[in-house]
Amino acid sequence: DEDVRHVAANSIRLIQAAAAPNQTVQDLIQKLQSPDEVVRLTAAKDLGKIGPPAREAIPALQKLFGWWGGQA
């Protein structure tokens, strides 16, 4: 079932993030450039779950969401 596969894949990503956060963050930053919107959104959510160790992804996330440091 699709939901079970999604939960399993998410669990694997979180385990990988705990074991090798720097590599996982780099992989997710690359996925932010995917032409597939679902892949980009999932990568952004996963970076949020990693938290502070994903700090280096901030510029890529700002670019993805079109925020350039100006005031809202």
Side-chain angles (χ1 to χ4, degrees):
D1 154 285
E2 182 83 18
D3 291 335
V4 172
R5 285 192 296 272
H6 178 70
V7 169
N10 190 46
S11 297
I12 290 169
R13 282 192 299 272
L14 292 175
I15 291 167
Q16 288 172 331
N22 291 338
Q23 184 59 45
T24 302
V25 170
Q26 289 301 314
D27 291 345
L28 291 171
I29 289 171
Q30 290 299 315
K31 288 180 180 180
L32 292 175
Q33 299 174 29
S34 171
D36 186 325
E37 182 178 344
V38 173
V39 171
R40 293 190 311 265
L41 180 59
T42 301
K45 287 181 178 180
D46 289 346
L47 286 163
K49 291 175 185 174
I50 292 171
R55 205 172 276 131
E56 68 185 277
I58 291 172
L61 288 164
Q62 289 173 329
K63 182 178 179 184
L64 176 66
F65 293 109
W67 185 82
W68 300 103
Q71 294 188 1

